[in-house]
Amino acid sequence: MDPSISAGLSSPNASASANNRGDSLFQSKLSWATLILVVVIGYISLCSLLRFRRINYLRTRYKFDNRASLARMTNQDAFEIARNVIYLEFPLFYDLATRLALFETYAVENIAKLLVAVSDLNKWNTLPKRYEDTEVIFSCFATFPPTSEHLHKAVARMNYLHAPFIASGRIQQEDLLYVLYAAMSEPCRVINQYEWRQLDEMEIASVATLWKYIGDMMDIDYKSLLKKEEWTDGIEFLENVSAWASEYEDKHMRPMNEVHALGKILMKMLLESYPKFARPLGYPMACTVMGNRLRRAFGFPEPSLAITVLSYSLLLTRKLFIRYFCLPRVIPVEYVSQPDKETGRIKHLHYMLEPWYVPKTFWSRWNPESILVWLSGGMIPGDGGAKMKPEGLLFEDLGPANKVGVGREETRKFEEVIREKATPGCPFSLAGKA
């Protein structure tokens, strides 16, 4: 047969074969793309389902399904719901918000003057311990339930340390109430603004109720400052205190030398707790997150537009990534341990700059975070030797050097008073009248 005829006859077969191979390759690529898309959509759906499972379970368990139902929230309910917020749902930004709340309290006139005059928080060599002491006490508030003797001991130690200054008039009731306000409002504001979802009314009420019973144990005189001592629920209490705090800030949060001095040393501590390469960017980002009023009080510069855009873009990226691509936390974060059954000592499991009361274990020294801190020249658990008390703390270890190990009897008396006030029941008088 003529080769040209043969070629002509075979040409359609070859073309068909090539087309089939092309179609097969296209279908293969399409199949893989479809499979990947299905897997991604399925994973996002799974994340969404599981991420809201816990909050839905709590609503069902406690039956707080509307604002009116919050009037019957007890201290024990509030503790359990707030623990979920603090240690499972939003541990990172709750912790950052608590730090920011402490910064806020240092920026008001009377507190700043007192801290600069007498506190170890104004001295670089003693600042890290005093900061960790404060963080330990705050962690105990969210770790131990309202009737726990360990919570009572933590509040009693705080009351003992404050007592001489209250007696002399250097700490006033309005200062204590402002600290309470910052501690309960900043986490709600920061979480709502930067986390993967906002708090619902039940969670806000739980955080406010937790701090309300801490304020009761601190013997804060609500009536003289707020002109009332009865509220329907935690949200009404928070709103009332927030309105009062806004006027307090107008009067007392402003630039002054003492505030500038505290801002400088606190920012130094904050930045040195992060790797060196992150500090140049960390400074303006911290100034962005803290807001205009606090930044101006401390005398920090206004961030550039580029830094502001970058900061909010990174925060938005994290929010979306956590919301759609991260499964919920299963194991709660721990900031302090339960007391040792033999020694009664409590171990601190989270620190900013120096590892006070943090146990020296292989994992605590060489986990990924500790390795990063070590590579950047920071202290890791075990550094600093026995001075850091790696065996854990007793509550009498908390406080400035001249108070460490002293005041046991006075603290015990405060503890007895607190124990009489402590209740797992509902703290709002109006709830029983509704």
Side-chain angles (χ1 to χ4, degrees):
M1 182 182 290
D2 190 329
S4 64
I5 297 175
S6 176
L9 291 173
S10 63
S11 176
N13 294 332
S15 177
S17 177
N19 288 337
N20 289 338
R21 285 196 300 271
D23 290 345
S24 177
L25 182 61
F26 175 75
Q27 290 174 357
S28 176
K29 290 181 178 178
L30 184 62
S31 298
W32 276 107
T34 303
L35 178 61
I36 292 172
L37 181 61
V38 168
V39 169
V40 170
I41 293 175
Y43 179 75
I44 291 174
S45 301
L46 178 64
C47 288
S48 296
L49 176 65
L50 295 180
R51 280 219 157 266
F52 289 92
R53 186 178 181 182
R54 201 149 39 211
I55 182 64
N56 291 334
Y57 165 75
L58 290 175
R59 289 193 192 109
T60 302
R61 176 183 174 184
Y62 294 100
K63 295 181 172 56
F64 295 129
D65 46 14
N66 55 51
R67 176 66 186 268
S69 65
L70 299 177
R72 57 178 172 77
M73 180 179 287
T74 66
N75 288 338
Q76 184 64 30
D77 293 339
F79 167 75
E80 292 169 4
I81 297 168
R83 270 186 62 84
N84 179 74
V85 170
I86 298 167
Y87 294 137
L88 280 167
E89 295 285 86
F90 314 111
L92 175 62
F93 273 95
Y94 189 92
D95 178 52
L96 292 175
T98 301
R99 295 181 182 186
L100 187 58
L102 289 173
F103 277 36
E104 279 191 20
T105 64
Y106 301 155
V108 295
E109 182 178 4
N110 191 51
I111 297 175
K113 287 182 176 180
L114 178 63
L115 292 177
V116 169
V118 303
S119 175
D120 285 348
L121 286 164
N122 187 41
K123 304 177 183 67
W124 180 249
N125 61 328
T126 54
L127 170 63
K129 179 187 183 298
R130 294 296 292 117
Y131 179 86
E132 298 305 331
D133 289 352
T134 303
E135 187 170 271
V136 164
I137 290 176
F138 273 46
S139 296
C140 287
F141 296 163
T143 300
F144 303 115
T147 55
S148 165
E149 66 173 304
H150 310 300
L151 172 66
H152 303 164
K153 290 178 183 295
V155 180
R157 185 63 181 177
M158 178 178 65
N159 290 354
Y160 162 72
L161 295 174
H162 288 165
F165 303 106
I166 294 174
S168 66
R170 302 187 75 173
I171 292 180
Q172 301 174 12
Q173 282 290 313
E174 61 182 9
D175 302 324
L176 297 175
L177 183 58
Y178 186 74
V179 172
L180 191 78
Y181 154 77
M184 69 177 171
S185 70
E186 266 313 289
C188 295
R189 181 190 72 83
V190 170
I191 289 171
N192 284 344
Q193 189 167 355
Y194 300 121
E195 268 292 2
W196 61 272
R197 70 167 173 86
Q198 294 192 340
L199 298 170
D200 76 351
E201 287 188 333
M202 177 185 70
E203 292 170 317
I204 294 172
S206 74
V207 172
T209 301
L210 183 150
W211 284 102
K212 165 66 167 59
Y213 72 69
I214 296 298
D216 292 342
M217 294 178 184
M218 293 169 64
D219 203 24
I220 293 178
D221 184 1
Y222 299 121
K223 190 170 185 178
S224 66
L225 297 171
L226 303 176
K227 310 308 178 187
K228 61 187 296 186
E229 55 184 354
E230 296 180 340
W231 297 269
T232 302
D233 56 34
I235 294 178
E236 185 184 14
F237 175 69
L238 175 59
E239 290 171 346
N240 190 189
V241 176
S242 297
W244 170 87
S246 179
E247 296 181 4
Y248 178 85
E249 288 177 341
D250 289 339
K251 295 178 183 177
H252 301 291
M253 183 180 283
R254 60 178 183 269
M256 51 190 299
N257 292 336
E258 290 87 351
V259 174
H260 290 175
L262 287 170
K264 184 177 180 180
I265 195 171
L266 288 168
M267 181 62 80
K268 180 182 178 182
M269 182 181 69
L270 176 65
L271 294 178
E272 292 203 4
S273 68
Y274 292 97
K276 292 180 181 179
F277 69 83
R279 294 172 194 171
L281 182 61
Y283 178 68
M285 287 186 70
C287 291
T288 300
V289 172
M290 71 175 55
N292 293 333
R293 173 175 250 171
L294 184 58
R295 183 179 65 246
R296 289 167 184 164
F298 278 132
F300 296 145
E302 184 173 351
S304 67
L305 177 61
I307 287 293
T308 301
V309 171
L310 176 61
S311 299
Y312 286 116
S313 297
L314 290 174
L315 289 167
L316 177 60
T317 300
R318 177 194 177 272
K319 177 190 291 190
L320 296 175
F321 182 76
I322 296 292
R323 167 65 177 82
Y324 293 105
F325 294 99
C326 290
L327 294 170
R329 180 182 293 275
V330 177
I331 301 174
V333 171
E334 283 188 289
Y335 291 152
V336 292
S337 72
Q338 295 295 316
D340 184 271
K341 293 182 179 179
E342 295 183 2
T343 66
R345 292 187 175 273
I346 295 172
K347 293 180 174 59
H348 191 201
L349 306 174
H350 176 71
Y351 68 98
M352 181 181 285
L353 191 61
E354 294 183 357
W356 284 91
Y357 322 118
V358 181
K360 177 185 176 182
T361 65
F362 180 83
W363 177 249
S364 69
R365 284 181 62 82
W366 303 116
N367 65 67
E369 182 180 356
S370 293
I371 290 174
L372 187 60
V373 171
W374 177 72
L375 289 174
S376 63
M379 294 180 68
I380 62 176
D383 292 352
K387 172 188 173 183
M388 296 289 145
K389 296 186 180 293
E391 69 276 13
L393 65 100
L394 299 173
F395 286 108
E396 54 262 35
D397 294 325
L398 304 179
N402 65 337
K403 294 291 185 180
V404 172
V406 302
R408 292 183 180 89
E409 182 60 27
E410 295 90 336
T411 301
R412 187 186 62 78
K413 291 178 181 178
F414 279 113
E415 188 180 346
E416 290 175 356
V417 174
I418 289 168
R419 191 179 300 114
E420 293 177 0
K421 296 180 179 181
T423 172
C426 182
F428 298 107
S429 302
L430 289 181
K433 302 175 184 178

